[in-house]
Amino acid sequence: HLLLFLLFVGPFNCFASYSRATELFYSLNEGLPAGVLIGSLARDLRLPTAGGQHPAVPQPPLSFTLASRGLGGQYVQLDNRSGELHTSAVEIDREALCVESSGATVFGGAAAVSSFSSSSESCLLLLDVLVLPQEYFRLVKVKIAIRDVNDNAPRFPVPHIHLSVPENAPVNTRLAIEHPALDPDVGTNGVQTYRLQDNYGVFTLDVEENESGERTPYLIVMGALDRETREEYVTVIVAEDGGTPPLVGSATLTIGISDINDNCPQFSDSQLNITLYGNSSLGTHVATVHAVDMDLGSNAQITYSYSQKVPQPSRDLFHLDESTGTITLSSKVDGDTPRLHRLIILGNSPGCIPAVITVLVTIIKVMMRPPEVVPRFIANEAEGVVYLKELEPINTPIAFFTIKDPDEKYKVSCYLDGDGPFRLSPYKPYNNEYLLETTKPLDYETQQLYEISVVAWNSEGFHVNKIIKVQVLDDNDNSPVFSQQLIELSIEENNVPNAFLTKLHATDADSGERGQVSYFLGPDAPSYFSLDKTTGVLTVSTQLDREEKEKYRYTVKAVDSGFPPRESIATVTITVLDKNDNSPRFINKDFSFFVPENFPGFGEIGVISVTDADAGQNGWVALSVLNGSDIFVIDTGKGVLRAKVSLDREQQSSYVLWIEAVDGGDPALSSTAKITILLLDINDNPPLVLFPQSNMSYLLVLPSTLPGSPITEVYAVDKDTGMNAVIAYSIIGRRGPRPESFRIDPKTGNITLEESLMQNDYGLYRLLVKVSDHGYPEPLHSTIMVNLFVNDTVSNESYIESLLRKEPDISIEEKQPQISIEPAHKKTESASCMPTLVALSIISLGSIALVTGMGIYICLRKGKKHHRADENLEVQIPLNGGINLHMLEKKPMEISNI
């Protein structure tokens, strides 16, 4: 559209006296329905109308046309005759079309003829309207300001906002909330205030506005905080705009209270009394002390140590683990060992006075020593816990046990006590050696921990238990499992962006990272679907259109974090449900049919093809004639247009009908198409050259113009119809330094530069252009002189005008222009050929019955033979002989070295 616009307006830049420009300004609210009057161009431009100031003087009808139906043109309807501008069925959404920015932004390209322009203050719909005929020609710049309405509620960018406040924060502490609410509306319709749904009596909100008008909420502490009393506050923050009525948006606000070191360790008891047998083996557990610190993290870290009051012999006899507070026997108890030990233990934390607990250990002397159980572990062991991987093979060895009597007086036996897939058997040929091994594979998902005892007893009945804990280590032996292998979803088309579809759920029986499941889209998933890796939430980032695609089917994967990772696959199917969002669409916006005069009544003039992309009842279409229903009728089902009476060209040469198509949706949508019916005539008018308007006009061509660049055009119309109005352009005479540098397109009349211009090529070029129609039996033609001045500037216009006044010495090189005719099998053109063939057949049949019509029949047969070479072929034919709407699509182009 940009190219056509430049080609049309460009020639008028050379003849400024023939053009005028006007600017009109209107304003309207966004979101208005179709048919709302925006303004009347004819009235506001004070243009004369039929029956105006001089009713006796016939006034040519005015014509108003959008220069190009760009992005902005779809939002308005312009009445071509009255110049009234109305809103169209496409609703204007200010927030979607005008993005607020510091400077103007034009949608659809910087040079678009109709577009949107936005700034911090306004949102403008820009339209260029052409007013014809030539007596009133002007280019009208129409600016429509789109006023904002409060149609958007404030929205927080995230649904959950987290804020951390130290528990020692003083009253009136201010903390900025990093995710303020957004509102696409502007001015007072934007976000104005914030409030908390529940402030718990210790919080409030304040709003600060910066120089650019952005409002940021601040959380203010109004009371004392204590993490040990309450470590988290959950409330709702509400944003409200200034519209009438106001709209609100909300998000969850979680206020976490961070810890400071304001608590010290404490023991639950002040003293422990422990009894220990004198025959206890080394490493025997004596006691464990445990202190509690209400703080968190490093503030709650406690270490244990002996007080300086504990004598060294007691320190040597009992080992204290400084991290766990566990006391174990570290030396043998003999006859010289004291029977009572007072262990004073301190619980230490940074910046605190140590907590104190006393452990009294009483040692009881034992005369007979119990059997000894000495383990030698084969599997990994730490602090009495054996670690085995699941799926270890049967008969995996765990440990050797040596059973003996320290006094060597009694016989010692042993057995295994406890449940689990284990056995303890003598290891031959050695005496008192036993092997502990598994009897079947272990499964972490079934049981993670086993506790068994190796029990030894002597003939005197003295028992000793050696407790062993077996911890089963998890292996990545389970794949994630989806709750459904086929996930069937549906969503209505025209959904909001980032619409929620579903939340996928898969479980993994493994533990830890091996059981953590991540979600991924399969390679066959379209890019506009998103799957949250952690939560499994499936969304679609763009609007879906059922008419574009109704079914989506792709795979999703659930992958665990084991090594190597294991995965499973499920299939997602999405059905896009139809909404009545498509109006019936005609194959062409304008239909043209050529009918011979005296066309019989109820003959088929043509077929009006219309489709509706919606489905079901929404896609059912009914056709009706809005005007001329007393002469024409249309078949609703087949779209066949017929005339009730015979048509006579001497009474009326053409008819313009408006056909309405209404679908079956609720509410119903409709569209209209223009039908032009022309009665065929003979070739009695030569082509009329509209541009250039004079043989004395000229155009400056810069030497830096690139080969292949369009220079100008010759534009002509023919008042005849049919083949009589098909126009061809050709250059029949040239003069200039190197005249072969320019060529003309025989179909469009566009003149382009063929070769690069050199220093010697400067000067005036005169091209004699022949404009010929394809009339039968004799083509008619006109000529026009195209003058091109190759130079950097126009420094002496009088010299150029003197050259133009001289009679050009141009030799005529007559050459018939060749125009390729497009095959008629194109669907959009074949419809206009069928009525002609039907009409010719009917006339031929009628001429057989009428002796007086034999001459007409013979002429028609001759015409048919003449065009036999072009059988099943047709061309685009202008609709009328006056200044056609094709003129409105011609656009100017400035030739330069860009």
Side-chain angles (χ1 to χ4, degrees):
H1 292 294
L2 170 62
L3 177 61
L4 294 176
F5 178 77
L6 293 175
L7 287 175
F8 181 79
V9 181
F12 290 91
N13 291 335
C14 299
F15 306 100
S17 60
Y18 293 99
S19 63
R20 286 176 291 170
T22 307
E23 186 173 286
L24 293 177
F25 183 83
Y26 300 104
S27 64
L28 76 160
N29 291 341
E30 62 174 326
L32 293 178
V36 175
L37 177 64
I38 300 173
S40 174
L41 274 65
R43 180 191 63 206
D44 298 336
L45 294 173
R46 299 181 180 179
L47 296 175
T49 58
Q53 297 178 353
H54 304 285
V57 180
Q59 299 288 344
L62 294 175
S63 174
F64 300 85
T65 308
L66 290 175
S68 176
R69 297 194 65 84
L71 175 63
Q74 62 180 312
Y75 297 98
V76 298
Q77 288 288 344
L78 176 62
D79 190 299
N80 291 343
R81 292 302 178 191
S82 67
E84 289 187 348
L85 199 63
H86 296 82
T87 57
S88 71
V90 182
E91 183 179 297
I92 298 177
D93 184 358
R94 185 186 189 280
E95 290 72 36
L97 297 174
C98 293
V99 180
E100 295 296 336
S101 61
S102 59
T105 301
V106 177
F107 292 83
V113 174
S114 55
S115 61
F116 277 88
S117 174
S118 68
S119 68
S120 59
E121 299 297 330
S122 63
C123 173
L124 296 179
L125 169 61
L126 307 179
L127 302 173
D128 285 352
V129 178
L130 293 175
V131 181
L132 290 176
Q134 186 173 348
E135 295 92 319
Y136 305 104
F137 172 75
R138 67 181 64 192
L139 175 63
V140 183
K141 298 281 187 177
V142 179
K143 296 182 179 180
I144 304 175
I146 309 302
R147 293 191 295 263
D148 183 47
V149 299
N150 191 29
D151 57 346
N152 290 278
R155 183 177 62 85
F156 287 90
V158 293
H160 299 279
I161 301 174
H162 296 272
L163 199 62
S164 179
V165 182
E167 61 178 326
N168 64 342
V171 175
N172 292 328
T173 297
R174 299 170 64 87
L175 298 166
I177 296 176
E178 298 297 333
H179 300 285
L182 305 175
D183 193 327
D185 295 323
V186 297
T188 57
N189 292 333
V191 178
Q192 299 296 317
T193 61
Y194 292 86
R195 68 176 184 272
L196 292 178
Q197 202 171 73
D198 187 358
N199 59 17
Y200 297 97
V202 292
F203 299 107
T204 187
L205 284 180
D206 188 19
V207 179
E208 290 187 5
E209 183 174 350
N210 60 17
E211 295 179 356
S212 62
E214 296 178 351
R215 297 173 181 261
T216 302
Y218 281 80
L219 181 72
I220 302 178
V221 179
M222 301 298 294
L225 303 175
D226 184 8
R227 189 205 63 80
E228 288 72 35
T229 302
R230 183 163 189 167
E231 63 180 4
E232 186 178 77
Y233 296 85
V234 180
T235 183
V236 174
I237 182 172
V238 179
E240 183 175 305
D241 63 22
T244 304
L247 302 177
V248 299
S250 63
T252 301
L253 176 62
T254 301
I255 307 170
I257 310 302
S258 59
D259 185 53
I260 64 170
N261 192 20
D262 58 347
N263 290 277
C264 290
Q266 291 183 352
F267 288 106
S268 58
D269 298 310
S270 60
Q271 182 172 308
L272 291 178
N273 296 316
I274 304 297
T275 300
L276 182 66
Y277 289 101
N279 61 352
S280 297
S281 58
L282 296 178
T284 299
H285 178 267
V286 178
T288 299
V289 296
H290 181 67
V292 177
D293 191 322
M294 297 299 292
D295 292 324
L296 291 177
S298 60
N299 295 330
Q301 187 173 359
I302 301 174
T303 60
Y304 302 93
S305 63
Y306 284 125
S307 171
Q308 294 181 356
K309 297 179 180 181
V310 178
Q312 190 61 41
S314 297
R315 294 170 181 260
D316 296 338
L317 184 61
F318 300 102
H319 174 263
L320 173 63
D321 189 302
E322 66 175 10
S323 299
T324 64
T326 300
I327 305 171
T328 57
L329 185 64
S330 59
S331 298
K332 276 286 187 179
V333 177
D334 53 25
D336 299 330
T337 303
R339 295 294 177 248
L340 181 63
H341 296 266
R342 182 183 297 272
L343 306 178
I344 301 174
I345 299 174
L346 306 178
N348 306 292
S349 180
C352 289
I353 299 175
V356 180
I357 187 172
T358 301
V359 180
L360 290 177
V361 181
T362 302
I363 299 177
I364 300 175
K365 185 177 181 181
V366 178
M367 298 303 296
M368 183 184 66
R369 291 187 292 176
E372 291 183 355
V373 179
V374 181
R376 289 169 292 166
F377 292 99
I378 302 171
N380 293 330
E381 179 269 341
E383 298 182 357
V385 180
V386 177
Y387 297 92
L388 290 178
K389 290 184 177 181
E390 65 174 331
L391 303 180
E392 288 280 5
I394 301 175
N395 301 327
T396 296
I398 299 175
F400 279 112
F401 290 90
T402 301
I403 311 299
K404 63 181 180 179
D405 180 15
D407 298 326
E408 298 182 354
K409 294 180 181 179
Y410 308 100
K411 182 180 179 181
V412 180
S413 301
C414 73
Y415 66 91
L416 185 66
D417 186 25
D419 296 329
F422 308 101
R423 66 166 171 254
L424 183 67
S425 56
Y427 192 73
K428 296 179 180 181
Y430 304 102
N431 294 326
N432 298 330
E433 295 286 345
Y434 294 85
L435 175 64
L436 178 64
E437 59 185 355
T438 61
T439 58
K440 64 179 182 179
L442 303 177
D443 186 5
Y444 176 87
E445 287 71 39
T446 302
Q447 187 170 344
Q448 294 87 38
L449 181 66
Y450 296 89
E451 188 171 304
I452 56 178
S453 298
V454 176
V455 182
W457 82 99
N458 59 20
S459 56
E460 296 298 320
F462 203 105
H463 290 73
V464 173
N465 290 347
K466 181 64 177 179
I467 299 176
I468 301 173
K469 294 181 180 180
V470 179
Q471 176 68 55
V472 181
L473 300 178
D474 188 27
D475 200 359
N476 193 31
D477 59 337
N478 291 278
S479 298
V481 178
F482 279 101
S483 56
Q484 294 176 278
Q485 287 299 313
L486 178 61
I487 305 163
E488 297 179 314
L489 308 173
S490 63
I491 183 174
E492 277 195 344
E493 62 176 332
N494 303 328
N495 54 281
V496 298
N498 300 316
F500 173 84
L501 293 175
T502 189
K503 183 176 182 179
L504 304 180
H505 181 66
T507 57
D508 193 314
D510 293 323
S511 64
E513 290 186 353
R514 303 173 188 85
Q516 293 179 359
V517 179
S518 299
Y519 302 91
F520 300 94
L521 292 172
D524 54 344
S527 60
Y528 38 83
F529 288 96
S530 300
L531 179 59
D532 190 281
K533 176 182 178 181
T534 305
T535 64
V537 172
L538 181 64
T539 58
V540 56
S541 61
T542 186
Q543 284 191 347
L544 298 180
D545 186 357
R546 188 206 66 82
E547 290 71 39
E548 181 178 334
K549 190 170 184 179
E550 184 176 8
K551 296 279 188 180
Y552 294 88
R553 183 183 181 93
Y554 53 86
T555 57
V556 291
K557 294 191 298 183
V559 183
D560 63 24
S561 301
F563 183 79
R566 300 173 70 97
E567 66 179 42
S568 60
I569 296 177
T571 301
V572 175
T573 62
I574 300 175
T575 301
V576 183
L577 304 179
D578 185 52
K579 292 178 68 176
N580 191 28
D581 59 340
N582 288 276
S583 301
R585 184 181 181 129
F586 289 92
I587 298 301
N588 297 318
K589 293 184 179 179
D590 295 332
F591 290 84
S592 297
F593 298 110
F594 299 92
V595 181
E597 57 181 330
N598 302 323
F599 192 74
F602 290 98
E604 180 178 322
I605 295 175
V607 177
I608 311 301
S609 299
V610 62
T611 60
D612 193 312
D614 293 321
Q617 187 73 15
N618 295 333
W620 181 85
V621 179
L623 296 174
S624 61
V625 180
L626 296 180
N627 63 326
S629 57
D630 54 338
I631 301 178
F632 299 94
V633 65
I634 190 168
D635 187 332
T636 297
K638 298 181 180 179
V640 177
L641 180 65
R642 305 177 188 274
K644 298 179 182 178
V645 297
S646 178
L647 304 176
D648 186 358
R649 187 183 183 282
E650 281 65 39
Q651 295 182 4
Q652 187 170 343
S653 62
S654 64
Y655 297 87
V656 177
L657 305 179
W658 290 95
I659 304 296
E660 182 181 39
V662 182
D663 64 21
D666 185 18
L669 300 178
S670 65
S671 62
T672 58
K674 179 182 178 182
I675 311 298
T676 302
I677 302 173
L678 299 174
L679 301 184
L680 297 178
D681 195 9
I682 62 173
N683 186 28
D684 57 352
N685 290 281
L688 174 63
V689 178
L690 299 181
F691 182 82
Q693 296 178 339
S694 169
N695 288 331
M696 300 298 292
S697 63
Y698 67 93
L699 179 69
L700 176 66
V701 178
L702 298 180
S704 57
T705 303
L706 299 177
S709 299
I711 303 300
T712 184
E713 69 168 351
V714 176
Y715 181 66
V717 296
D718 195 312
K719 294 183 180 180
D720 293 323
T721 61
M723 294 298 296
N724 298 331
V726 176
I727 297 175
Y729 302 88
S730 61
I731 299 175
I732 61 174
R734 307 170 184 261
R735 183 172 182 176
R738 190 152 55 101
E740 67 276 3
S741 300
F742 301 92
R743 68 175 297 272
I744 191 168
D745 189 303
K747 294 174 62 176
T748 65
N750 289 335
I751 296 177
T752 56
L753 178 65
E754 289 296 289
E755 301 175 359
S756 298
L757 296 172
M758 304 299 178
Q759 184 68 30
N760 296 331
D761 298 335
Y762 285 41
L764 181 65
Y765 290 75
R766 309 198 72 177
L767 307 177
L768 182 60
V769 177
K770 177 181 179 181
V771 183
S772 175
D773 63 23
H774 279 57
Y776 177 82
E778 181 67 29
L780 303 177
H781 71 272
S782 301
T783 59
I784 188 69
M785 186 69 70
V786 178
N787 302 300
L788 305 175
F789 186 62
V790 177
N791 203 358
D792 292 312
T793 59
V794 179
S795 59
N796 192 343
E797 294 187 7
S798 59
Y799 170 71
I800 300 174
E801 292 173 358
S802 66
L803 293 177
L804 295 176
R805 284 192 293 269
K806 294 180 180 179
E807 186 68 25
D809 185 12
I810 298 178
S811 59
I812 304 301
E813 45 182 57
E814 185 65 46
K815 183 186 296 184
Q816 185 66 26
Q818 299 298 320
I819 299 181
S820 60
I821 303 177
E822 298 180 359
H825 62 262
K826 292 185 179 179
K827 185 176 180 180
T828 60
E829 298 177 357
S830 61
S832 64
C833 183
M834 289 302 298
T836 303
L837 296 176
V838 172
L840 292 174
S841 300
I842 294 175
I843 292 175
S844 300
L845 292 175
S847 63
I848 295 175
L850 300 174
V851 176
T852 57
M854 288 299 294
I856 299 175
Y857 174 77
I858 294 173
C859 293
L860 291 174
R861 293 292 294 175
K862 287 182 179 181
K864 183 175 181 182
K865 291 179 181 180
H866 179 77
H867 293 284
R868 190 169 303 242
D870 297 330
E871 189 174 1
N872 294 326
L873 302 178
E874 65 178 12
V875 295
Q876 295 289 346
I877 302 175
L879 300 184
N880 53 53
I883 296 181
N884 196 286
L885 291 181
H886 290 293
M887 287 184 60
L888 305 183
E889 300 300 321
K890 303 299 175 182
K891 304 182 179 182
M893 172 169 287
E894 181 179 354
I895 304 303
S896 67
N897 59 353
I898 296 178

